[in-house]
Amino acid sequence: VSTQSTWENIFEYISKEVGVEEMNTHTGFIGDCSPEQLAVLEKFRAHVHGQGGTKYDDVYLLRFCRARKFDLPAVVEMWENFIKWRKENDVDNIEKFEFPELDQVKMFYPHGYYKTDREGRPLYIERIGLLDLTKLFQVTTEERLIKYYIQSYELLINKIFPACSKAAGKRIEQTLTILDLKGGSTSMLSKRVYNFIQLASSIGQNYYPEILGKMFIINSPMLFSGIWAVIRPWLDEKTRNKITIVGSKYDQQVLELVS
């Protein structure tokens, strides 16, 4: 018997025993979970609620399950890190944080939500090509920017998603993001810019998983291939698969999703 056929037999056995094939044919969203995924969710829910986290519903918990491919030990580890981080950053009281410099921040770091896409998801646009870190950190600090990021994610989950769900008549729990690199220069290759992007992406990826539904990176210049080579390893596989990079001829792809 060949080595290849041996491994094929082993995989077939595992698939039958633990339901790998069935796990992979379900999205892991509410209403589309396999029996195996539901079993993981049930155990995870019991763990979270047993620690007093009854405010977190299945929609919230499934985001962590999907992020770790329903591997229960990995899901629990991610959750424990999340809860520790929330306490360290006093996230339960983040709505009290005031950020009066927001208008100035947006002058040097243009970003924000703009209506919804054809699926009813909130559309987030970030004009990273116009980012001016020197001027940005003259009007705010990294610490305050982190608090602003956290507050924005909490607002998205607690206010924006419910409003979009009501308007769409269905559950909305992910975003469409457009990252516009127009205006970018070789300064985008600096270590300082890398650190800034890594800071922003790590908060979402580690503590607000599965929020991103789809991302288009548009107006990408030739030099972006070098930037992407550095950024790509920071992102997990699921996140990378949601990102489409296009140049200036992005109209057709983007307009398929944006009304």
Side-chain angles (χ1 to χ4, degrees):
V1 180
S2 69
T3 301
Q4 180 177 350
S5 62
T6 299
W7 279 110
E8 288 174 350
N9 291 336
I10 291 174
F11 181 75
E12 182 179 0
Y13 169 77
I14 293 174
S15 298
K16 290 179 179 178
E17 290 299 310
V18 301
V20 171
E21 292 181 1
E22 187 173 2
M23 290 272 280
N24 290 338
T25 59
H26 292 79
T27 62
F29 285 84
I30 287 289
D32 189 26
C33 291
S34 69
E36 290 76 19
Q37 289 172 334
L38 289 174
V40 171
L41 173 61
E42 184 177 353
K43 293 177 181 178
F44 181 41
R45 185 197 306 120
H47 173 79
V48 172
H49 289 187
Q51 295 183 329
T54 54
K55 69 177 181 178
Y56 299 107
D57 62 12
D58 285 355
V59 173
Y60 206 106
L61 300 183
L62 278 172
R63 289 196 292 105
F64 287 81
C65 292
R66 293 194 303 273
R68 290 299 178 263
K69 300 180 180 179
F70 287 84
D71 178 350
L72 185 58
V75 173
V76 170
E77 180 182 9
M78 186 181 195
W79 181 263
E80 295 299 327
N81 291 336
F82 166 68
I83 293 300
K84 179 182 178 183
W85 171 83
R86 284 187 71 93
K87 292 177 180 177
E88 291 174 347
N89 290 275
D90 195 24
V91 177
D92 286 342
N93 294 308
I94 199 67
E95 64 180 19
K96 299 176 183 178
F97 173 67
E98 296 182 358
F99 198 61
E101 65 266 39
L102 180 58
D103 287 344
Q104 289 179 290
V105 165
K106 288 189 174 184
M107 289 176 61
F108 310 119
Y109 172 37
H111 66 281
Y113 289 98
Y114 182 76
K115 298 185 177 181
T116 58
D117 70 1
R118 292 181 185 271
E119 296 182 19
R121 299 176 297 190
L123 173 60
Y124 177 77
I125 301 175
E126 191 167 296
R127 302 188 66 186
I128 199 72
L130 299 181
L131 172 66
D132 188 330
L133 279 181
T134 299
K135 292 182 179 178
L136 175 63
F137 286 118
Q138 288 175 354
V139 299
T140 193
T141 65
E142 182 176 297
E143 181 181 1
R144 289 183 58 76
L145 205 56
I146 290 173
K147 287 183 179 294
Y148 166 66
Y149 281 144
I150 297 171
Q151 186 182 63
S152 297
Y153 272 114
E154 291 292 308
L155 178 66
L156 174 64
I157 291 173
N158 298 318
K159 302 291 185 181
I160 297 177
F161 279 152
C164 289
S165 298
K166 183 177 180 180
K170 61 181 181 180
R171 187 184 301 279
I172 301 295
E173 53 182 297
Q174 291 188 314
T175 63
L176 171 64
T177 293
I178 296 177
L179 203 62
D180 188 355
L181 302 186
K182 187 174 183 179
S185 64
T186 53
S187 63
M188 291 183 67
L189 293 170
S190 72
K191 183 177 180 181
R192 196 178 184 194
V193 172
Y194 289 155
N195 291 339
F196 177 79
I197 295 174
Q198 187 176 28
L199 170 67
S201 63
S202 65
I203 293 174
Q205 186 167 275
N206 295 332
Y207 308 118
Y208 297 95
E210 289 292 299
I211 291 294
L212 177 66
K214 178 68 179 177
M215 175 186 285
F216 286 102
I217 299 179
I218 66 174
N219 291 316
S220 54
M222 293 295 293
L223 60 83
F224 183 70
S225 59
I227 300 174
W228 181 242
V230 175
I231 297 174
R232 196 173 186 276
W234 301 341
L235 307 174
D236 61 41
E237 182 182 0
K238 290 195 69 175
T239 301
R240 291 197 299 267
N241 291 339
K242 295 176 181 179
I243 298 174
T244 298
I245 302 173
V246 292
S248 58
K249 298 179 180 180
Y250 56 82
D251 291 8
Q252 183 176 355
Q253 293 185 68
V254 174
L255 290 177
E256 287 179 0
L257 293 175
V258 179
S259 55

